[in-house]
Amino acid sequence: MIALDTLVRLCPPPSDPPPSVDWTRTERALGTALPADYKRLVETYGEGVFDETIWLLVPDSAHDDCDLYAQTTERDEILAGLWEFEAKPVGLEEAGARVLPWAFEEGTGAFLYWLARPGQHPDDWTVLYNEGRGPLWENHGMGCLAFLLAVLTGTAETSYFGDLNGEDERTEHRFATAAQTLGTAGQ
């Protein structure tokens, strides 16, 4: 996977490998298969934050904010309530279409989702960005790994991620694990 190799060179993963994920159990619990690029991202980096901005959600995180299951449940509830009085973003009008969160932006309330359409293979899901504290959604015609790489390199066509989206001349990128950033859960 060329994009992952590029990301690893740009932003080195933790020296200790993250815990393994039971993908069969995860996909069963979520009711859907997940994209291969996301699985590789999680297997390489684990739970944590890219450049103090983009938090990666992972299954079975000790931190609810980073837990894929907890955030999927929470986002489903929040969005269901929101869509009672606000229009759904383009692509979700289709029967059976849904969004699944895979990351969030530090301090903004914004989430990154996959747009999952019925009959579409997960590797073909695209990224939706929701500003979180407003009605605006951006649709990006690429998978999560390609989008993350585009944001970190400043090539993403987005109105968001100011510091990361070409507005600074960052030469080094950093990934910090959730434990490094948030401490050990349960303390």
Side-chain angles (χ1 to χ4, degrees):
M1 191 171 269
I2 295 170
L4 183 61
D5 294 339
T6 303
L7 180 62
V8 165
R9 281 192 303 280
L10 180 73
C11 185
S15 54
D16 292 332
S20 63
V21 174
D22 182 342
W23 292 112
T24 302
R25 187 178 71 77
T26 297
E27 292 173 336
R28 192 175 316 121
L30 294 172
T32 185
L34 293 171
D37 65 341
Y38 168 74
K39 292 177 186 179
R40 296 277 314 273
L41 193 57
V42 168
E43 290 166 353
T44 303
Y45 289 90
E47 64 183 345
V49 60
F50 291 88
D51 287 348
E52 300 176 347
T53 304
I54 300 173
W55 284 88
L56 182 62
L57 303 177
V58 301
D60 296 318
S61 172
H63 304 276
D64 282 349
D65 286 350
C66 299
D67 185 67
L68 181 64
Y69 304 124
Q71 289 303 317
T72 298
T73 299
E74 182 178 301
R75 302 314 307 163
D76 284 349
E77 291 170 6
I78 289 170
L79 292 175
L82 179 70
W83 290 331
E84 289 180 13
F85 60 89
E86 189 176 287
K88 290 182 178 182
V90 174
L92 282 177
E93 300 90 1
E94 181 181 356
R98 69 186 274 209
V99 292
L100 290 145
W102 61 272
F104 68 92
E105 185 179 7
E106 172 69 30
T108 66
F111 271 80
L112 290 162
Y113 297 92
W114 290 292
L115 172 57
R117 293 187 163 125
Q120 187 179 42
H121 192 278
D123 291 343
D124 296 327
W125 292 351
T126 57
V127 171
L128 283 175
Y129 175 95
N130 175 245
E131 66 180 342
R133 295 186 179 126
L136 299 179
W137 290 76
E138 283 184 345
N139 193 337
H140 298 275
M142 62 186 78
C144 64
L145 180 55
F147 181 76
L148 176 61
L149 189 55
V151 170
L152 294 178
T153 59
T155 61
E157 293 183 22
T158 180
S159 300
Y160 302 99
F161 302 107
D163 288 349
L164 299 180
N165 193 30
E167 292 182 16
D168 77 7
E169 298 300 319
R170 191 179 299 255
T171 57
E172 292 183 22
H173 296 274
R174 181 170 181 262
F175 179 83
T177 66
Q180 291 169 324
T181 306
L182 303 172
T184 303
Q187 287 187 349

